[in-house]
Amino acid sequence: MESKSLNTAIRWANLRRVLEEFGDYFVRSYRHHLEERGINASGNLSKSLQYTIKSGATFLAVDVSLLEYWKKIEYGQKPLENKLNGDFITRIEDWVTVKKIVPYANNGRVPSIHELAYLIARKIVYLGTQPRPIFATSLDEAVAEFEEAIEEAVTQDIAEIVDIELLTL
């Protein structure tokens, strides 16, 4: 009797279905937390969020992709030595504009958008930013929600292939 490798014989259909649900849940959770914490100014990070199910000879995984700056939100930004430059200030100006931050008077004078951006950029350069672990929170929620379903799907997929193999004996 010719034996098939279980790795190629198992289609993992049940597990794939559950991982699709897991990915959808994670995306909804992440977007919700962005909105909830007021971090989604331009919407670009939320729009960039997507997942795919990747598979190889020895794995099946949910692969998440996001704009690179998600790491600055997740882990915070350490102070930046001597990085206060025009490009950084311009990016902060763009953020202030998208976020619709309205400067208010301090000592009777309202700063311009450029001045406000400079002050914000200077604070980030010298103090950094605090981490806001949205990815970790969303992942923890998804794992808690789907851990049992994943275990059941794996068990089902293995049981199906074992039944097929036993029928061929």
Side-chain angles (χ1 to χ4, degrees), residues 32-93:
H32 168 76
H33 288 298
L34 283 175
E35 287 292 328
E36 178 183 69
R37 298 182 191 185
I39 300 172
N40 204 23
S42 68
N44 291 336
L45 186 60
S46 180
K47 290 175 200 166
S48 76
L49 175 60
Q50 49 187 272
Y51 75 91
T52 55
I53 304 299
K54 300 242 175 166
S55 60
T58 59
F59 72 91
L60 194 60
V62 178
D63 185 53
V64 176
S65 64
L66 282 161
L67 289 174
E68 193 64 25
Y69 73 89
W70 76 272
K71 293 175 189 172
K72 302 277 191 224
I73 293 167
E74 188 74 11
Y75 304 112
Q77 172 65 61
K78 291 182 181 175
L80 306 164
E81 295 179 18
N82 302 318
K83 298 285 185 187
L84 190 59
N85 60 43
D87 182 49
F88 187 56
I89 295 169
T90 300
R91 288 192 319 236
I92 299 295
E93 277 181 43

Side-chain angles (χ1 to χ4, degrees), residues 20-30 141-142 145-146:
E20 289 283 343
E21 293 170 9
F22 178 95
D24 290 340
Y25 184 96
F26 174 82
V27 167
R28 283 192 311 276
S29 176
Y30 192 87
E141 289 172 0
E145 184 71 22
F146 285 90

Side-chain angles (χ1 to χ4, degrees), residues 86-102:
D87 182 49
F88 187 56
I89 295 169
T90 300
R91 288 192 319 236
I92 299 295
E93 277 181 43
D94 293 343
W95 176 81
V96 165
T97 302
V98 167
K99 190 89 169 161
K100 295 181 174 119
I101 296 174
V102 179

